[in-house]
Amino acid sequence: METDHDKLLALLDARMRRGVQSETVSARIEHTPHVVRQSGSDKVWNGILWSDLESGTADAVIAEQIRHYAGLGQDFEWTLYAHDRPADLGGRLVAAGFTPEESETLLVASVADLVRRTSETDAPAGIELREVTDEAGVAQVVAVHEQAFGTDGTRLGRRISAQLQESPETFRVHLAVAHHDGREIPVSSARLELYPGTGFAGLWGGGTLAEWRGRGVYRALVSHRARIAAELGYEYLRVDASDQSRPILERLGFAALTTMTPYQYRYQAQAQAQSRP
């Protein structure tokens, strides 16, 4: 018997993967017989959003995607969901030169339920939530990201800047700023992606500096973005959650639908390696 879980997962596949819209006007959503992908410059996310492959032809389709992004000179991601076919697709991607990253759990919550659960959640004392609208704010988001996650935020900064310039109506980015000893210290950042016509909005980022964790900053940013999504008429919120954020989100009412693993193809690094004598 089909469950609500199955129905919601099928709805997300249909609206957020097969029926997805490009994140900015400079990105292209391309539908092929076997995959749905987004392509563009390094200012946008490049990668495979949905696939439905057969064992006999999967390797050829994978090779076709590598050629496509090589033609653009772009690294790209193949986002593999646990229910994608064939069952050994992850192994095939590795054999083709992809590198898997840490798996995440896809969580979904009803916006209305989440707003009710977090109706009294405000920012902790001394913390101000701000919407980012300019390059100075983008630079602060990148700095928080790099400190919170320990990874380079250059590409993230380009994507945020492009979205703010080209598609501000489908995107919100926020900073949590601490007022401490007469100074303003950005301590957390988070993004809200809006997908018009799908009923879904997405929570992304949510990186908090280590010394400010455990104080309710992340929870406040979730609540704040949920209220915005509700005001704009969205029905569901999705999160690709790490093991660190998953327990917090489940306590707020998010439910796990499936797991997903990003597989990265580093075309630029491989091209440089092959060009060395």
Side-chain angles (χ1 to χ4, degrees), residues 14-231:
R15 294 183 180 179
M16 292 293 297
R17 300 183 68 198
R18 296 197 304 274
V20 69
Q21 300 179 34
S22 61
E23 64 182 39
T24 69
V25 295
S26 59
R28 304 183 307 279
I29 296 295
E30 299 163 326
H31 295 256
T32 80
H34 303 289
V35 306
V36 176
R37 65 195 181 205
Q38 179 168 279
S39 301
S41 70
D42 59 3
K43 292 183 179 180
V44 304
W45 181 88
N46 281 268
I48 309 302
L49 295 149
W50 173 85
S51 66
D52 186 16
L53 309 183
E54 301 291 340
S55 294
T57 57
D59 292 338
V61 175
I62 293 170
E64 177 188 346
Q65 307 318 308
I66 293 174
R67 288 193 298 272
H68 168 76
Y69 287 103
L72 299 176
Q74 294 295 334
D75 298 343
F76 73 104
E77 176 182 308
W78 193 304
T79 309
L80 178 63
Y81 290 69
H83 59 288
D84 288 346
R85 301 185 302 168
D88 65 347
L89 182 53
R92 291 171 184 261
L93 291 171
V94 171
F98 288 79
T99 302
E101 295 186 337
E102 185 176 350
S103 295
E104 299 171 314
T105 303
L106 173 60
L107 302 176
V108 174
S110 159
V111 170
D113 289 346
L114 187 59
V115 169
R116 283 195 293 270
R117 285 173 177 266
T118 63
S119 60
E120 297 181 3
T121 300
D122 294 317
I127 298 291
E128 177 190 359
L129 303 185
R130 294 179 181 170
E131 184 170 348
V132 172
T133 58
D134 57 25
E135 289 301 315
V138 173
Q140 291 178 314
V141 169
V142 170
V144 168
H145 172 89
E146 293 182 336
Q147 293 176 69
F149 295 108
T151 58
D152 180 58
T154 302
R155 179 164 288 189
L156 172 66
R158 291 186 190 131
R159 287 184 59 196
I160 293 175
S161 294
Q163 286 182 276
L164 287 175
Q165 292 170 13
E166 299 178 13
S167 305
E169 71 283 357
T170 63
F171 183 73
R172 303 287 190 279
V173 59
H174 297 91
L175 277 170
V177 179
H179 296 270
H180 184 68
D181 292 338
R183 296 182 298 142
E184 292 188 346
I185 307 170
V187 299
S188 186
S189 64
R191 309 186 307 278
L192 174 66
E193 299 272 1
L194 305 168
Y195 309 104
T198 68
F200 287 89
L203 302 185
W204 301 90
T208 303
L209 303 191
E211 61 269 30
W212 291 88
R213 293 170 188 163
R215 306 191 193 190
V217 177
Y218 178 75
R219 180 187 172 101
L221 281 167
V222 171
S223 175
H224 183 67
R225 288 175 290 169
R227 288 196 288 267
I228 294 173
E231 291 168 1

